[in-house]
Amino acid sequence: MKTMRFLTVAATLVVAIGLVRTGAQTPSPTGAPPAPGQTLRQYSGSPIDVDYQSANLRTVLRQLSEIGGINLVIDPSVPSAATVDLKLAQVPWDQVMDVVLKSSQLTYQLEGSVLRVLTREARTKELDEEVKQKKATEAAPDLQTRRMRLNYSTAASVAKLLEDAHLISERGTVEFEERTNMLILKDSPRSLDEIQQLVAELDRPEPQVEIEAKILQTNRDTAKALGVQWGFNGRSSAELGNTTNLAFPNNGSLSGRVTQQGNVTQAPNDPRAGANATTGTAINLPVTGATSALGLSMGAINGALNIDVAITALEHEGKLKVLSTPRVTTQNNQQAEVTQGFQIPFQTIANNTVTVQFRDAALKLVVTPQITAANTVILKINLENGIPDFSKAVLGNPSINTQRANTQVQVADGVTTVIGGILQTQESQAMDSTPGISKIPLLGWLFKRTDNQSNSQELLIFITPRIIRG
């Protein structure tokens, strides 16, 4: 204890000697430590010499306040048993104060000429309390209730927007009534004014968009076919007087035979000949379903030799155009759908149970428009055209021939654009001929049949948006 008292007295004397040597007078309150948050500052206090060994922290702070001539308040949060160990020579007293505070994990608050020293934890707690107090002060005004009836927006969607955007204060509430499409708000007057201005900007009429689609489908098919039939028969018999004068063969017949084609009616016919002698089609390459034919027959007077030829030809050209024009009107950014057609039932049997399901075979247009500031429309389009095809039925269920387009385009107001197109072409060539003689130059076509067919299908999809304002 005697050592501590001696050191304390010595420190005081050293400080006094330093003050006398420098001729400094007692610093005014302006010589107090700078406000918190200022770092690397220039210290303006009088230089002093200090030497503390296990000196009481509170005592050291009081001594420094007396040297600097400032008013000091030590918060109860500062430990009473804390000690200080340091030795400094010719250091400004306010810098000594700063070093002591930092080494002891302390901070301070300067209010005028009063310096309050406290721990950092205590200061943090005070700041938190100040923030809470500020919030409570701001929420102090009485809450008001305000009703807003919407004309174009739904109250439910606007209420959800206000809640998600945290535009309602912690004390405020927002409710909506679907029948009258009304918002019921309860909050401070300032918050209600801001919300009312926002709702007025949201509750505005949106322009509508009329979307017109045109589906043009064309089919074109052509066919050309050329066929020929040759027939002959010759007989040698006593009734014709042209026997061979031999015992065997004394008579006979020679005729064309095409057994796989069934009965032939174009062969030369002699009523005196038998059934086998009248079958005279040797080259049977006619055009099925021919609409034009040219025939030539030649024969002997006695019927011993007969020759005939038939040339058949067919030329076909067909055109088909199908135009569908679905049209729908919807609000901006709202999906619309229009469907025209019918549903086809499909039966399935599982576990001795018959189930009927329906599939759409229809023209369906699903579109969502978005109007831009440049007077254009961004369209999300899903268009499907389903046509039942009973020629390709499976178990009595027809297949559905479908054309589909799914895209997103940007089109100017009132302008028509093509969003899709399909061109399908099919060509076929077939030739049937008699082996050998069909290769004869110039005359080979008399012994062959040709069939040329061409079929093309084209699908075009047009879209036209029109903005309806007002």
Side-chain angles (χ1 to χ4, degrees):
M1 295 296 293
K2 292 181 178 180
T3 303
M4 293 183 62
R5 290 178 181 176
F6 173 77
L7 292 174
T8 303
V9 174
T12 305
L13 291 175
V14 170
V15 171
I17 293 172
L19 292 173
V20 173
R21 288 179 179 177
T22 57
Q25 300 186 6
T26 305
S28 63
T30 56
Q38 296 181 355
T39 58
L40 298 178
R41 57 184 174 271
Q42 297 293 331
Y43 297 97
S44 59
S46 302
I48 61 174
D49 297 334
V50 294
D51 186 2
Y52 294 114
Q53 292 184 3
S54 301
N56 185 267
L57 175 60
R58 288 173 173 264
T59 302
V60 171
L61 294 175
R62 284 194 295 269
Q63 289 178 355
L64 293 176
S65 67
E66 292 176 358
I67 295 172
I70 61 174
N71 299 318
L72 177 68
V73 176
I74 300 178
D75 192 80
S77 62
V78 177
S80 59
T83 59
V84 176
D85 290 279
L86 71 133
K87 181 179 180 181
L88 300 172
Q90 292 300 301
V91 177
W93 74 265
D94 48 357
Q95 185 176 3
V96 176
M97 174 75 80
D98 197 16
V99 172
V100 172
L101 294 178
K102 290 182 179 179
S103 61
S104 301
Q105 301 296 318
L106 300 178
T107 186
Y108 59 90
Q109 184 181 10
L110 183 63
E111 298 179 357
S113 61
V114 179
L115 182 70
R116 190 166 68 94
V117 179
L118 68 166
T119 60
R120 295 177 180 176
E121 291 79 6
R123 180 57 180 161
T124 302
K125 186 176 180 181
E126 286 183 356
L127 294 176
D128 293 340
E129 292 295 334
E130 290 177 0
V131 173
K132 293 180 180 179
Q133 182 65 27
K134 184 178 180 181
K135 290 184 177 180
T137 304
E138 293 177 352
D142 295 336
L143 300 181
Q144 294 183 0
T145 301
R146 193 171 298 180
R147 296 177 293 275
M148 302 179 187
R149 176 170 291 183
L150 307 182
N151 297 319
Y152 306 102
S153 302
T154 59
S157 62
V158 175
K160 185 177 184 301
L161 174 63
L162 296 177
E163 293 178 349
D164 295 343
H166 303 289
L167 300 177
I168 303 296
S169 65
E170 295 180 357
R171 298 175 61 199
T173 59
V174 56
E175 301 292 340
F176 63 90
E177 208 279 326
E178 293 184 358
R179 184 178 62 87
T180 59
N181 198 32
M182 179 180 294
L183 283 176
I184 303 174
L185 301 170
K186 188 175 183 181
D187 211 331
S188 63
R190 180 178 178 181
S191 297
L192 289 176
D193 293 339
E194 294 178 355
I195 293 174
Q196 186 171 6
Q197 183 178 359
L198 175 62
V199 172
E201 295 178 359
L202 295 176
D203 190 30
R204 293 181 179 179
E206 286 290 331
Q208 299 185 123
V209 182
E210 180 190 48
I211 300 100
E212 180 183 1
K214 292 184 179 180
I215 303 175
L216 180 63
Q217 183 175 0
T218 60
N219 293 337
R220 176 178 296 179
D221 62 284
T222 59
K224 292 182 180 180
L226 180 64
V228 64
Q229 290 176 287
W230 281 90
F232 71 93
N233 59 34
R235 292 190 302 125
S236 175
S237 63
E239 61 185 5
L240 298 177
N242 59 351
T243 59
T244 61
N245 297 322
L246 298 175
F248 180 84
N250 180 262
N251 59 70
S253 66
L254 178 64
S255 62
R257 299 292 178 89
V258 183
T259 58
Q260 68 270 22
Q261 297 295 333
N263 296 327
V264 179
T265 59
Q266 295 174 270
N269 187 13
D270 185 355
R272 297 169 296 178
N276 291 333
T278 59
T279 304
T281 303
I283 300 174
N284 190 27
L285 299 174
V287 174
T288 304
T291 57
S292 301
L294 177 64
L296 176 64
S297 297
M298 295 178 291
I301 295 178
N302 59 359
L305 179 63
N306 296 281
I307 299 176
D308 71 348
V309 60
I311 300 175
T312 55
L314 172 67
E315 185 172 359
H316 169 77
E317 182 176 357
K319 296 181 180 180
L320 173 66
K321 181 173 72 173
V322 179
L323 179 63
S324 301
T325 309
R327 181 180 301 174
V328 64
T329 301
T330 181
Q331 284 189 338
N332 186 27
N333 292 315
Q334 296 295 324
Q335 178 177 298
E337 177 181 342
V338 59
T339 304
Q340 179 186 5
F342 52 91
Q343 291 183 325
I344 300 176
F346 288 84
Q347 290 187 354
T348 58
I349 302 176
N351 298 326
N352 296 326
T353 302
V354 179
T355 304
V356 179
Q357 297 179 347
F358 291 87
R359 291 184 57 188
D360 291 334
L363 174 62
K364 180 187 296 184
L365 173 64
V366 180
V367 61
T368 303
Q370 178 184 349
I371 302 175
T372 67
N375 204 35
T376 61
V377 183
I378 299 176
L379 299 172
K380 294 181 180 178
I381 304 170
N382 187 358
L383 191 145
E384 181 176 333
N385 186 23
I387 302 174
D389 188 357
F390 290 91
S391 63
K392 299 178 181 179
V394 178
L395 299 178
N397 300 322
S399 60
I400 298 178
N401 185 13
T402 304
Q403 296 92 28
R404 182 183 295 110
N406 189 359
T407 183
Q408 177 173 330
V409 295
Q410 182 173 351
V411 188
D413 180 22
V415 176
T416 302
T417 184
V418 181
I419 65 171
I422 301 174
L423 176 61
Q424 183 178 358
T425 303
Q426 182 178 0
E427 296 183 356
S428 63
Q429 295 180 351
M431 184 180 68
D432 299 321
S433 60
T434 302
I437 58 177
S438 63
K439 306 297 182 180
I440 299 175
L442 300 179
L443 299 178
W445 66 273
L446 293 174
F447 303 95
K448 65 177 65 174
R449 174 177 59 188
T450 59
D451 187 0
N452 298 325
Q453 296 184 6
S454 176
N455 187 5
S456 63
Q457 297 180 354
E458 185 174 9
L459 175 69
L460 294 175
I461 302 174
F462 302 87
I463 199 78
T464 305
R466 297 182 180 89
I467 301 176
I468 304 174
R469 302 186 184 274

